[in-house]
Amino acid sequence: MVPSAKVIVHQEIAPALSDAMPTCGTPPAIAILCHGGGGGSTHAAMNLAAALDRRGRRVVLATLGRPLWPVPAGLDHIVIGRGGGGGTGRLDTGWDEAALDGMARAVARLCRRTAIDILHYHYALPFAAVAARVQGWLGADAPALVATLHGSDVTAIARNPGLGRPLAAAAAVSTVSLPYARMLAAATGMPEPAVVPNFLPAAPAARPRPPVRRLVPTIIHVSSFRPVKDTRAVARIFLAIRRQVRCRLVLVGDGPDRRGMRQLLRARAGDVSLSGFRRDVAALLRAADLMLLASRAESFGLAALEAMAAGVPVVAPRVGGLPAVVGDGVGGRLFHPGRHADATARAVALLLAPIHRRRMADRARRRAATFSEERAIAGYDRLYALALARTPAVAG
């Protein structure tokens, strides 16, 4: 069992995380460490690095492999090694000691060369073990460690709590939703970590899109096509919807289950578009009428949040962090996991009621706006301040 020591910052929910970093003195230098590829934790970590950079913070983004998301211009970025998964939706977690040492050496060199004060890693596997090695090697010169867990790393630790032992080296730990904070605490014996939800980057205010009268409404699904996303269920639900309402399905992303999903949809191939990984997801969302998710587990639901921000209602299962993001009847409709007939009924009802759908689209935008960049940065700033205070060599 992981020690329930002082290293975890306990907060009930994100709104309590409102204190900002002290403004006196030189701002700390922060390294954001994450996987490459196109996963949700990568997207969230890059959003954070870019937001800090826009605020004039000293920040460098370090990725294990190249990210598929574009790195913002002007943001310092270093690739520390070859990542597992790339754009395939597969994430390698079987790191041997030599691989962990190689990553740790690269991160330690980065910390020395750029005088990093805070090393903030996103996703515990393998970065908790990497960061613990860096701390052990650098000793008094080591940066304060901050950990953010995103989803499948929490469920992996819940299945095997020993994987969480390296988290004890962190001065502050957070997750992106309250259910996953509680899952981590129950599995490891740690106090509940802080909860700082994901966010959408600040953008200039845009006019809501005018109502579009489409002869054939579009359902969109965005994911990594891993088994946890249950894309086969998405296919079955779409086929059930299509028997009642003429519509089309746009699938965005790539991963191990994509081929099986395509086979299930062969009978309706003319109604289905498989787009693969796309960087212009926002443009695809603006052309959609409904997002459909069927995940077996979902720590947060960044794809749902992006859809809501674009004015696209979401039909999704009541799992993990999705209820807190969507809000049943606010940003979309929720169904109990596995009840695909209920999912079908909720989607059909929205597709057949365009006026109701437009009203829900407006509510979805307003709800998405509450997951703001400012709110998240305030939460992380408090974690950074507490981590520095708990790491005397850095604080001094």
Side-chain angles (χ1 to χ4, degrees), residues 20 168 203 270 316 349-350:
L350 284 169

Side-chain angles (χ1 to χ4, degrees), residues 4 12 23 53 65 78 93 106 119 154 157 173 188 208 237 245 255 268 300 333 352 362 367 377:
S4 57
E12 288 297 328
T23 56
D53 184 64
I78 182 172
T93 56
L119 176 59
V154 177
I157 291 170
V173 177
T188 63
I237 294 168
V245 181
R268 289 290 182 183
F300 181 78
R333 294 303 314 272
L352 292 178
D362 291 338
R367 188 174 182 90
I377 294 299

Side-chain angles (χ1 to χ4, degrees), residues 96-330:
D96 58 28
E97 292 298 312
L100 292 173
D101 280 349
M103 283 184 274
R105 282 193 293 272
V107 175
R109 285 194 297 270
L110 169 66
C111 291
R112 286 196 189 101
R113 186 172 68 247
T114 56
I116 294 298
D117 299 302
I118 297 170
L119 176 59
H120 183 183
Y121 60 86
H122 289 253
Y123 207 87
L125 307 175
F127 298 126
V130 169
R133 279 168 164 78
V134 171
Q135 186 183 71
W137 293 345
L138 297 184
D141 295 327
L145 302 183
V146 175
T148 293
L149 284 74
H150 282 270
S152 52
D153 50 354
V154 177
T155 55
I157 291 170
R159 290 192 300 269
N160 180 5
L163 293 174
R165 290 194 184 98
L167 289 170
V173 177
S174 71
T175 63
V176 295
S177 69
L178 188 56
Y180 275 64
R182 290 173 174 168
M183 185 189 304
L184 183 64
T188 63
M190 292 176 170
E192 283 183 18
V195 176
V196 183
N198 288 327
F199 66 95
L200 297 178
R207 293 180 181 177
R209 59 179 183 170
V212 177
R213 291 186 177 274
R214 297 187 182 90
L215 293 177
V216 181
T218 296
I219 299 172
I220 191 168
H221 172 82
V222 182
S223 80
S224 59
F225 287 74
R226 290 183 291 136
V228 71
K229 303 300 182 181
D230 205 354
T231 52
R232 292 172 183 264
V234 171
R236 294 187 183 99
I237 294 168
F238 169 72
L239 292 174
I241 296 169
R242 183 63 183 80
R243 285 192 285 269
Q244 301 180 55
V245 181
R246 188 184 176 196
C247 57
R248 59 190 298 265
L249 176 65
V250 175
L251 301 169
V252 184
D254 199 0
D257 286 352
R258 187 181 179 201
R259 178 177 294 181
M261 189 177 193
R262 177 185 290 178
Q263 291 174 346
L264 284 172
L265 293 167
R266 279 181 303 178
R268 289 290 182 183
D271 297 324
V272 179
S273 172
L274 286 90
S275 300
F277 181 86
R278 296 280 292 266
R279 292 184 173 184
D280 60 340
V281 174
L284 295 175
L285 288 171
R286 287 193 294 270
D289 299 282
L290 191 71
M291 171 169 275
L292 176 61
L293 301 174
S295 306
R296 295 168 184 160
E298 198 73 64
S299 62
F300 181 78
L302 190 55
L305 183 62
E306 290 175 333
M308 291 161 56
V312 179
V314 179
V315 173
R318 196 183 296 274
V319 297
L322 280 170
V325 173
V326 177
D328 192 21
V330 182

